[in-house]
Amino acid sequence: MENINKYIYSLILTALIAVIVELVSPADDGGGLGKHVNLICGLCIAVALLNPLKEGAQWLLELARDGIDGVVETSEMPSVEHYGDAFAEQVYTVSESEIKRLLCKQFDISENDIEIRCDFDERYLLVRITVLLSGKAVFKDPHKITDYLSGAIGCEAVVAIT
């Protein structure tokens, strides 16, 4: 809203200055001075009218130069940190349950015999998966589970038997 007010004020001020300059300039006797004053005043008003397009053009230039990632990063969208602990907890829960489901299906393990712990960095990227095997799952080959997780998810995987 503040930008709109500034725009309207600058438009009114430009128009007032143009009127004052036209009134102060000598009367047009057909010699051309009045034409030039009118032309310059009209150009000033046109520039004031088109001024908001400058921001749109700058945004398009940034988009062309930096790509969509650069523009999105500088926009006013809320960051991951904005959501805080609730977001992190949701990421942990979904990741752990999905990895558990995947391992149970792939290696025929009961859901009661496996526990998953995921470690994330400050940007909530998965950096390590710890798999805790118990019950009948302790007889599964931990190296196969580690290799499978490292290949499928692309992060460090550790298997421990409890």
Side-chain angles (χ1 to χ4, degrees):
M1 189 63 141
E2 185 177 322
N3 289 339
I4 293 173
N5 288 341
K6 286 181 181 179
Y7 172 66
I8 291 172
Y9 290 142
S10 68
L11 200 57
I12 291 171
L13 186 64
T14 304
L16 284 173
I17 291 173
V19 168
I20 291 171
V21 167
E22 285 186 15
L23 289 174
V24 173
S25 65
D28 189 16
D29 59 354
L33 182 62
K35 290 182 193 177
H36 295 294
V37 170
N38 286 339
L39 175 67
I40 291 174
C41 290
L43 286 175
C44 290
I45 292 174
V47 167
L49 281 171
L50 297 176
N51 194 27
L53 294 179
K54 179 179 71 171
E55 290 180 25
Q58 286 175 343
W59 183 81
L60 288 174
L61 287 174
E62 285 180 26
L63 180 64
R65 185 182 66 235
D66 300 334
I68 192 70
D69 293 334
V71 174
V72 170
E73 288 175 0
T74 59
S75 70
E76 295 179 9
M77 292 175 56
S79 63
V80 172
E81 291 81 19
H82 174 76
Y83 297 106
D85 294 335
F87 179 78
E89 185 63 34
Q90 185 65 26
V91 169
Y92 300 150
T93 304
V94 170
S95 299
E96 290 172 354
S97 64
E98 286 301 310
I99 293 169
K100 183 176 186 177
R101 186 187 60 77
L102 183 69
L103 288 177
C104 287
K105 183 178 177 184
Q106 182 70 26
F107 292 98
D108 192 32
I109 299 173
S110 170
E111 286 192 19
N112 298 330
D113 295 339
I114 189 170
E115 185 179 333
I116 306 295
R117 293 188 185 149
C118 296
D119 296 323
F120 296 86
D121 65 6
E122 64 277 353
R123 296 180 304 160
Y124 299 104
L125 297 175
L126 188 59
V127 292
R128 181 184 192 155
I129 301 170
T130 304
V131 179
L132 303 172
L133 300 176
S134 62
K136 293 181 182 178
V138 297
F139 299 111
K140 302 294 179 181
D141 185 3
H143 297 290
K144 287 184 180 179
I145 295 172
T146 302
D147 293 342
Y148 176 76
L149 283 174
S150 296
I153 299 177
C155 69
E156 180 185 3
V158 177
V159 177
I161 297 174
T162 60

